[in-house]
Amino acid sequence: MNRGTGAFRFPGGVLELRAGEASEDCSGVYLELSQFVQDDHRESTRGTTEMHYRPTCLGYLRTDVSGAAQVWDQSRIRRLAERLGYDFADMVIYDPKFGRPPFARLKAQATRLDAEAVIVPSVEHFGGEEMPGTLVRELDVITVTPFRRILRELAR
């Protein structure tokens, strides 16, 4: 098999693809990042890339509660996730006209993505006046308006 190499530059680094025999150690993908990174002291460091863990979160809303403001509610959820330092993974939208259990998809996505939190526009999106206990035991639950954060460790 012919060996081929392709290097692709992008802002902040280089991606190199190598083709070769399956038994060779040098085939595969190599990624090199060389960008400015902000450290904890807010000073720029050149040539250093640090990986920081960001917990994953989901957004959740009900179409019947959001109504015409659904896009606005989604935007507020994403902005709050960014402000709180979460890695926003997915927006779970529940429409009661389909007759599925309201939290089934949310719980499945949270498990699949190993999410730590769910952000909702308001407590009304849970279909009642309070947050469901089964959900609060599994995830941190955050409401945009009014801002409220229920940590799952405190709910147990």
Side-chain angles (χ1 to χ4, degrees):
M1 180 177 216
N2 290 342
R3 292 175 44 104
T5 300
F8 305 95
R9 292 194 182 278
F10 61 91
V14 175
L15 174 66
E16 184 177 339
L17 303 173
R18 295 180 182 169
E21 296 294 327
S23 62
E24 293 181 19
D25 289 338
C26 65
S27 64
V29 177
Y30 174 73
L31 178 64
E32 179 181 325
L33 299 174
S34 58
Q35 61 188 21
F36 287 93
V37 176
Q38 297 290 327
D39 65 10
D40 292 334
H41 303 293
R42 302 288 182 225
E43 297 173 6
S44 293
T45 309
R46 182 168 177 86
T48 311
T49 301
E50 296 179 23
M51 298 293 287
H52 295 284
Y53 172 75
R54 289 178 42 184
T56 301
C57 82
L58 299 169
Y60 177 80
L61 62 80
R62 292 176 56 117
T63 58
D64 59 328
V65 177
S66 285
Q70 182 174 331
V71 174
W72 171 246
D73 284 343
Q74 290 178 19
S75 175
R76 293 187 317 148
I77 289 170
R78 291 177 200 278
R79 280 195 314 267
L80 183 58
E82 183 178 328
R83 195 169 71 233
L84 295 175
Y86 284 102
D87 180 16
F88 185 83
D90 190 19
M91 181 71 65
V92 178
I93 300 172
Y94 174 72
D95 191 338
K97 71 180 178 187
F98 292 112
R100 290 185 226 132
F103 304 119
R105 183 164 170 252
L106 177 61
K107 289 179 180 179
Q109 283 291 78
T111 300
R112 188 176 70 79
L113 298 170
D114 196 25
E116 295 187 22
V118 60
I119 301 175
V120 296
S122 65
V123 73
E124 288 81 22
H125 287 263
F126 290 124
E129 294 301 316
E130 60 185 56
M131 296 180 193
T134 58
L135 191 62
V136 173
R137 284 189 291 276
E138 296 176 27
L139 299 166
D140 294 347
V141 179
I142 303 164
T143 58
V144 177
T145 306
F147 177 75
R148 187 171 164 199
R149 189 180 216 167
I150 307 292
L151 302 178
R152 65 178 165 237
E153 290 85 28
L154 301 176
R156 290 181 184 171

